Amino acid sequence: EPEVTQTPSHQVTQMGQEVILRCVPISNHLYFYWYRQILGQKVEFLVSFYNNEISEKSEIFDDQFSVERPDGSNFTLKIRSTKLEDSAMYFCASSVTFLLGMSNGYTFGSGTRLTVV
Amino acid sequence: DQQVKQNSPSLSVQEGRISILNCDYTNSMFDYFLWYKKYPAEGPTFLISISSIKDKNEDGRFTVFLNKSAKHLSLHIVPSQPGDSAVYFCAASVRSGANNLFFGTGTRLTVIP
């Protein structure tokens, strides 16, 4: 079964450093997303991306965050200057279509655990 | 801003019995609801969904019920199996808008053999 692949599985970084989280969505999917889950809290939407541009973003996704699809396969989330509160599990997801009912929801990756120290 | 709430952080059920997981929402604009299952060290996996035009959707052992007037949905698993032990997330979306999902905080289901 096709998978969304995320690397690395765990990233430890010092506060103030830049990190790039990588994702390879499912090849025929057109919509890409980042979500995060702070330990013990709910999964929160960060950003959605379609046709090489951001289609929606939450208030969490401030100027410190950016997304990019640098080539035909990768989808990256960059955090410019990490803060302690950025420590969370970051999930990438992709879907075939914008219409959830047709796509049966997104396919999520296994996540990258980001620890900011 | 808890638009989707799962008030039970955990639930334990005997194997073979019914598991009922509950979810409440506050935003009346939500018109599509999903349940995801999550194992440790994995991403959420889609389980079942329901559109607001329905009040029930069934898929094998899993049934989701939607009560729009109460802004409440539930997931029934019957019979429960030990492999169902996981964290279950309820999620909601506005399909006519951006289809980002609003998640609840999850319920950890433990099915006891």
mmCIF file of all heavy atoms in Angstrom, chain A residues 5 23-27 32 68-76:
data_model
loop_
_atom_site.group_PDB
_atom_site.id
_atom_site.type_symbol
_atom_site.label_atom_id
_atom_site.label_comp_id
_atom_site.label_asym_id
_atom_site.label_seq_id
_atom_site.Cartn_x
_atom_site.Cartn_y
_atom_site.Cartn_z
ATOM 1 N N THR A 5 6.132 9.077 3.398
ATOM 2 C CA THR A 5 7.394 8.812 4.098
ATOM 3 C C THR A 5 7.944 10.100 4.680
ATOM 4 O O THR A 5 8.022 11.117 3.973
ATOM 5 C CB THR A 5 8.428 8.225 3.119
ATOM 6 O OG1 THR A 5 7.866 7.088 2.476
ATOM 7 C CG2 THR A 5 9.678 7.803 3.859
ATOM 8 N N CYS A 23 9.351 15.198 3.737
ATOM 9 C CA CYS A 23 8.218 14.306 3.494
ATOM 10 C C CYS A 23 8.208 13.931 2.028
ATOM 11 O O CYS A 23 8.479 14.769 1.161
ATOM 12 C CB CYS A 23 6.932 15.033 3.883
ATOM 13 S SG CYS A 23 5.399 14.202 3.408
ATOM 14 N N VAL A 24 7.902 12.676 1.747
ATOM 15 C CA VAL A 24 7.644 12.249 0.376
ATOM 16 C C VAL A 24 6.193 11.791 0.336
ATOM 17 O O VAL A 24 5.852 10.731 0.848
ATOM 18 C CB VAL A 24 8.582 11.117 -0.069
ATOM 19 C CG1 VAL A 24 8.246 10.688 -1.498
ATOM 20 C CG2 VAL A 24 10.039 11.555 0.029
ATOM 21 N N PRO A 25 5.307 12.617 -0.252
ATOM 22 C CA PRO A 25 3.895 12.227 -0.316
ATOM 23 C C PRO A 25 3.691 11.072 -1.297
ATOM 24 O O PRO A 25 4.593 10.691 -2.040
ATOM 25 C CB PRO A 25 3.214 13.499 -0.832
ATOM 26 C CG PRO A 25 4.214 14.599 -0.661
ATOM 27 C CD PRO A 25 5.556 13.948 -0.767
ATOM 28 N N ILE A 26 2.504 10.543 -1.317
ATOM 29 C CA ILE A 26 2.150 9.500 -2.265
ATOM 30 C C ILE A 26 2.145 10.103 -3.670
ATOM 31 O O ILE A 26 1.654 11.225 -3.869
ATOM 32 C CB ILE A 26 0.791 8.884 -1.901
ATOM 33 C CG1 ILE A 26 0.941 8.130 -0.578
ATOM 34 C CG2 ILE A 26 0.280 7.955 -3.000
ATOM 35 C CD1 ILE A 26 -0.355 7.597 -0.013
ATOM 36 N N SER A 27 2.674 9.356 -4.626
ATOM 37 C CA SER A 27 3.068 9.962 -5.904
ATOM 38 C C SER A 27 1.926 10.590 -6.691
ATOM 39 O O SER A 27 2.128 11.577 -7.375
ATOM 40 C CB SER A 27 3.791 8.926 -6.767
ATOM 41 O OG SER A 27 2.938 7.836 -7.026
ATOM 42 N N PHE A 32 -1.125 18.514 -0.091
ATOM 43 C CA PHE A 32 -0.145 18.152 0.928
ATOM 44 C C PHE A 32 -0.378 19.002 2.170
ATOM 45 O O PHE A 32 -0.815 20.156 2.075
ATOM 46 C CB PHE A 32 1.280 18.373 0.396
ATOM 47 C CG PHE A 32 1.488 17.821 -0.981
ATOM 48 C CD1 PHE A 32 1.719 18.659 -2.059
ATOM 49 C CD2 PHE A 32 1.417 16.462 -1.215
ATOM 50 C CE1 PHE A 32 1.894 18.155 -3.324
ATOM 51 C CE2 PHE A 32 1.585 15.949 -2.491
ATOM 52 C CZ PHE A 32 1.822 16.798 -3.555
ATOM 53 N N GLU A 68 7.820 23.996 1.199
ATOM 54 C CA GLU A 68 8.357 24.029 -0.150
ATOM 55 C C GLU A 68 8.212 22.652 -0.768
ATOM 56 O O GLU A 68 8.241 21.633 -0.064
ATOM 57 C CB GLU A 68 9.843 24.402 -0.088
ATOM 58 C CG GLU A 68 10.434 24.866 -1.386
ATOM 59 C CD GLU A 68 11.897 25.287 -1.222
ATOM 60 O OE1 GLU A 68 12.596 24.711 -0.383
ATOM 61 O OE2 GLU A 68 12.317 26.173 -1.967
ATOM 62 N N ARG A 69 8.022 22.659 -2.063
ATOM 63 C CA ARG A 69 8.074 21.403 -2.811
ATOM 64 C C ARG A 69 9.224 21.582 -3.803
ATOM 65 O O ARG A 69 9.022 22.009 -4.929
ATOM 66 C CB ARG A 69 6.755 21.159 -3.512
ATOM 67 C CG ARG A 69 6.626 19.802 -4.141
ATOM 68 C CD ARG A 69 5.168 19.411 -4.202
ATOM 69 N NE ARG A 69 4.926 18.326 -5.157
ATOM 70 C CZ ARG A 69 5.108 17.040 -4.887
ATOM 71 N NH1 ARG A 69 5.537 16.678 -3.703
ATOM 72 N NH2 ARG A 69 4.850 16.114 -5.768
ATOM 73 N N PRO A 70 10.441 21.287 -3.351
ATOM 74 C CA PRO A 70 11.629 21.643 -4.130
ATOM 75 C C PRO A 70 11.789 20.844 -5.426
ATOM 76 O O PRO A 70 12.451 21.297 -6.349
ATOM 77 C CB PRO A 70 12.778 21.360 -3.164
ATOM 78 C CG PRO A 70 12.243 20.358 -2.201
ATOM 79 C CD PRO A 70 10.788 20.655 -2.068
ATOM 80 N N ASP A 71 11.170 19.667 -5.470
ATOM 81 C CA ASP A 71 11.249 18.862 -6.694
ATOM 82 C C ASP A 71 9.922 18.137 -6.820
ATOM 83 O O ASP A 71 8.965 18.457 -6.125
ATOM 84 C CB ASP A 71 12.446 17.890 -6.622
ATOM 85 C CG ASP A 71 12.427 17.059 -5.351
ATOM 86 O OD1 ASP A 71 11.338 16.593 -4.951
ATOM 87 O OD2 ASP A 71 13.479 16.894 -4.737
ATOM 88 N N GLY A 72 9.852 17.152 -7.693
ATOM 89 C CA GLY A 72 8.570 16.499 -7.927
ATOM 90 C C GLY A 72 8.119 15.555 -6.848
ATOM 91 O O GLY A 72 6.989 15.076 -6.872
ATOM 92 N N SER A 73 8.994 15.280 -5.867
ATOM 93 C CA SER A 73 8.619 14.254 -4.903
ATOM 94 C C SER A 73 8.629 14.725 -3.452
ATOM 95 O O SER A 73 7.832 14.262 -2.655
ATOM 96 C CB SER A 73 9.520 13.027 -5.054
ATOM 97 O OG SER A 73 10.858 13.383 -4.853
ATOM 98 N N ASN A 74 9.498 15.650 -3.102
ATOM 99 C CA ASN A 74 9.627 16.037 -1.700
ATOM 100 C C ASN A 74 8.725 17.209 -1.329
ATOM 101 O O ASN A 74 8.408 18.065 -2.160
ATOM 102 C CB ASN A 74 11.082 16.423 -1.396
ATOM 103 C CG ASN A 74 11.986 15.220 -1.405
ATOM 104 O OD1 ASN A 74 11.982 14.424 -0.484
ATOM 105 N ND2 ASN A 74 12.767 15.089 -2.474
ATOM 106 N N PHE A 75 8.340 17.223 -0.069
ATOM 107 C CA PHE A 75 7.552 18.330 0.487
ATOM 108 C C PHE A 75 8.164 18.617 1.845
ATOM 109 O O PHE A 75 8.232 17.729 2.693
ATOM 110 C CB PHE A 75 6.086 17.901 0.595
ATOM 111 C CG PHE A 75 5.167 18.930 1.193
ATOM 112 C CD1 PHE A 75 5.117 20.227 0.704
ATOM 113 C CD2 PHE A 75 4.307 18.590 2.222
ATOM 114 C CE1 PHE A 75 4.260 21.168 1.237
ATOM 115 C CE2 PHE A 75 3.439 19.524 2.773
ATOM 116 C CZ PHE A 75 3.423 20.813 2.276
ATOM 117 N N THR A 76 8.678 19.832 2.035
ATOM 118 C CA THR A 76 9.444 20.110 3.248
ATOM 119 C C THR A 76 8.772 21.179 4.106
ATOM 120 O O THR A 76 8.081 22.074 3.600
ATOM 121 C CB THR A 76 10.871 20.582 2.916
ATOM 122 O OG1 THR A 76 10.793 21.787 2.154
ATOM 123 C CG2 THR A 76 11.626 19.526 2.134
#
